[in-house]
Amino acid sequence: MKLSQFKAVYLAALSLVTAALSSPTPETRLETRASKLTHRAETGVTDIAGTWVAWQPGYLTGTYLLFHNTDYVTLRGTGYVLLRWEVEYWQRAGVTTDVSIQKTGTFQFVAGGGGMQYADHPAPFCNDPSGTCYNATGGTDYGYTWFANGANHWHNEYYWLDGDVTLRTQEGTGLYNVAVNVTTYASMLSEINTVYSGSYHIGASYDPSYAKCPCSA
């Protein structure tokens, strides 16, 4: 899908979302909302099964690197898990299927960080030879990658686990990498509050509900 086609589809979808949102009444005072991030139990998370790539210098940072189709890791315990995303459109672009999440217990999305979501416009970076990228999912020469379920992933996505979860890649035409890490509440809170430069931006809390950072306990 080239830039003109991608942009048309993207803007059409955006217009539908915008139409569903109501604007504040003119001259109505908006109340300041404190952005909270719930601190849930952390007693430890370990791997119990999987097929993944071992980290090497120059790789996407992570403990369990899901770099190939059907790579997976199964984690067990109670605590926080980080999924670091890389949409690899410079290798192969096109439609793809999101990571499969099979859980026993709770695996709850709680925060987004890393300075961006992949559909952010303008693109915070561009790895396309043309130098023209509408967002971080592709460019004019290579084309664009998009998820069949409409997902717009953060570069860093944080989850809280209480039980077991298996994460498995399901790549289609478009390729992506996911680096899975066990993390802590303190590290997550610090990272999503990081102020970035350029087109990058601060993160957001989704626990107990969506709110832009700065976030506090």
Side-chain angles (χ1 to χ4, degrees):
M1 179 180 285
K2 296 301 183 180
L3 178 60
S4 59
Q5 297 171 301
F6 177 84
K7 188 173 180 180
V9 172
Y10 179 81
L11 293 177
L14 185 62
S15 67
L16 292 175
V17 174
T18 303
L21 301 177
S22 59
S23 299
T25 304
E27 299 182 3
T28 297
R29 183 175 179 178
L30 300 179
E31 296 183 4
T32 300
R33 179 177 61 183
S35 298
K36 299 294 184 182
L37 179 62
T38 304
H39 189 178
R40 299 181 180 271
E42 301 176 81
T43 58
V45 175
T46 59
D47 62 85
I48 60 172
T51 301
W52 60 80
V53 175
W55 184 83
Q56 296 182 34
Y59 282 10
L60 189 64
T61 303
T63 304
Y64 313 102
L65 304 183
L66 310 184
F67 280 5
H68 309 115
N69 192 30
T70 73
D71 278 358
Y72 77 99
V73 62
T74 300
L75 302 175
R76 172 176 291 169
T78 301
Y80 290 97
V81 177
L82 164 61
L83 274 62
R84 178 170 288 125
W85 283 84
E86 181 180 53
V87 177
E88 211 174 19
Y89 63 83
W90 51 90
Q91 295 294 338
R92 195 171 72 210
V95 66
T96 195
T97 304
D98 211 341
V99 162
S100 167
I101 298 175
Q102 297 176 306
K103 62 183 180 179
T104 302
T106 301
F107 190 64
Q108 176 182 343
F109 178 50
V110 296
M116 68 168 192
Q117 286 182 273
Y118 273 89
D120 287 348
H121 174 72
F125 66 89
C126 184
N127 289 332
D128 191 86
S130 68
T132 303
C133 296
Y134 186 78
N135 56 33
T137 68
T140 299
D141 287 352
Y142 287 143
Y144 289 82
T145 291
W146 67 99
F147 290 91
N149 64 357
N152 176 20
H153 288 290
W154 288 83
H155 179 45
N156 290 339
E157 294 187 336
Y158 296 91
Y159 291 79
W160 181 70
L161 172 65
D162 185 27
D164 294 3
V165 66
T166 297
L167 306 166
R168 187 186 305 270
T169 54
Q170 303 182 111
E171 293 173 309
T173 303
L175 302 181
Y176 58 84
N177 296 321
V178 180
V180 181
N181 302 269
V182 176
T183 189
T184 65
Y185 177 87
S187 294
M188 171 177 62
L189 185 62
S190 174
E191 195 278 308
I192 65 175
N193 279 319
T194 299
V195 178
Y196 294 88
S197 60
S199 297
Y200 293 90
H201 57 81
I202 200 166
S205 167
Y206 291 80
D207 185 15
S209 58
Y210 172 75
K212 288 184 178 180
C213 293
C215 297
S216 61

